[in-house]
Amino acid sequence: MANYVTISCLGPRPLAVPADVSDEEAIARMIAHWQAQLVRVLPDRPDLIVLPEACDRPDPLGFPLERRLSYYRARKDRIRDFFADAARRHGCYIVYPAHVEADDGMWLNELQLIDRMGGVTGVYVKNHLTPDEHAKTNILYGREAPIFECDFGRVAPAICFDLNFEELLRRYAAAKPDLIVFPSMYHGGLMQGYWAYACRSYFAGAVAGAPCTIVTPLGETAASSTNYYSFITARVNLDYVVLHIDENDAKFPAIKRKYGPSVVIHDPGYLGCVLLTSESEDVTADDIVAEFELELLDDYFARADRSRHEPGRMTP
């Protein structure tokens, strides 16, 4: 059955804070900054708000490392708690990415998923750092690739430089999330669509100072922010499957005759696959797959690979 989720992504440039202001003043300015940003998307009643990487770090160009560490230690969880209060009052999830000090004095580049009640329901530590992130700022590498179970679906997190590494992508592709959330300072370009398609997943990118995007499981951009407005909100339907057209194609007319506009079959062109989405209140995309004996894209590829490896079928 149709499973709509409204996603907002915010990507303003990092807030410039003079280095000579007090920690308390810097914290107050940061909270005021994000209050003004949230006001841009809250009227759309999002289910999920994604913030950019290290969202409460003042612009490093005017806020050097030692000054930043003092600010972080004064900040503690106070800005996280500001977002938690917003999540609770507005009944939404918020992806809060920040630099956090570990118990041993090292640092983590992590995101915390705040749930609709204002609690932290999941934490992800960035797996793949740029060399300077560890060498200059003592940030530790993460090792886990968690899937967050939300009331609308399964969410996989990645942060910035992560998007360049197949190891993390393979782990998420095997887990089959409904949505990838991507807080970042780096847009990623074609890698956004590549990850979405490889995971058969929607992708929500909140990128500081660059376009924020919602990408479909076929790698198409469904929504993007612009040079004028650094935020987007889009409503997507997570009741979908990805199918290859080979053999399935002959069954599409019968599906449309029976279900009409209650089932959408979208062809992006050139990929040889479609996105089948249920708009029905009575049947799911998986129900359609079972009823018409459709073959999912990954199952089709697996069958093709098994056929290749049958005895006598490969060149010597």
Side-chain angles (χ1 to χ4, degrees), residues 8-13 15 30-43 49 51-52 55 82-83 229-231:
S8 295
C9 298
L10 288 161
R13 295 184 181 278
L15 178 67
M30 190 62 69
I31 289 174
H33 165 71
W34 280 111
Q35 181 65 61
Q37 295 298 320
L38 289 178
V39 166
R40 294 172 175 265
V41 298
L42 286 172
I49 299 173
L51 308 175
C55 69
F82 156 76
F83 286 117
Y229 298 104
S230 60
F231 60 92

Side-chain angles (χ1 to χ4, degrees), residues 55-268:
C55 69
D56 57 9
R57 178 182 66 180
D59 188 339
L61 291 178
F63 214 78
L65 178 60
E66 287 306 314
R67 181 69 193 83
R68 203 156 67 234
L69 296 181
S70 170
Y71 158 80
Y72 285 153
R73 288 172 176 137
R75 176 208 62 188
K76 300 186 186 299
D77 293 327
R78 291 156 65 184
I79 297 178
R80 193 276 312 278
D81 292 345
F82 156 76
F83 286 117
D85 180 64
R88 181 171 53 252
R89 287 188 291 109
H90 296 280
C92 63
Y93 290 86
I94 296 180
V95 173
Y96 165 67
H99 289 165
V100 176
E101 189 172 18
D103 291 340
D104 60 3
M106 298 294 281
W107 291 85
L108 306 174
N109 186 340
E110 70 175 25
L111 68 79
Q112 299 176 48
L113 179 64
I114 301 167
D115 65 22
R116 297 184 195 266
M117 299 301 293
V120 175
T121 191
V123 175
Y124 168 72
V125 178
K126 185 176 179 180
N127 277 211
H128 298 283
L129 307 173
T130 62
D132 279 355
E133 280 187 273
H134 175 74
K136 292 185 178 180
T137 58
N138 290 324
I139 293 177
L140 295 176
Y141 294 82
R143 65 172 70 245
E144 303 299 329
I147 298 291
F148 303 143
E149 299 287 345
C150 298
D151 56 19
F152 56 78
R154 305 173 71 248
V155 176
I159 299 175
C160 198
F161 201 55
D162 280 334
L163 219 60
N164 295 291
F165 293 88
E166 288 285 332
E167 176 189 346
L168 186 62
L169 174 59
R170 286 194 298 270
R171 294 170 75 181
Y172 284 145
K176 301 184 185 302
D178 299 299
L179 173 69
I180 300 164
V181 293
F182 178 62
S184 189
M185 294 284 176
Y186 144 80
H187 183 275
L190 63 86
M191 298 302 291
Q192 292 194 4
Y194 177 59
W195 271 59
Y197 177 67
C199 293
R200 323 294 184 225
S201 169
Y202 277 90
F203 181 104
V207 185
C212 296
T213 48
I214 306 293
V215 181
T216 78
L218 301 183
E220 297 179 295
T221 299
S224 176
S225 63
T226 69
N227 57 311
Y228 297 111
Y229 298 104
S230 60
F231 60 92
I232 52 167
T233 298
R235 187 168 178 254
V236 302
N237 185 352
L238 297 184
D239 187 9
Y240 67 88
V241 291
V242 181
L243 309 168
H244 199 278
I245 62 175
D246 194 9
E247 300 179 32
N248 289 319
D249 173 69
K251 303 172 184 179
F252 294 161
I255 295 171
K256 292 299 294 182
R257 283 194 298 271
K258 180 170 182 178
Y259 291 103
S262 294
V263 174
V264 175
I265 302 172
H266 171 65
D267 168 27

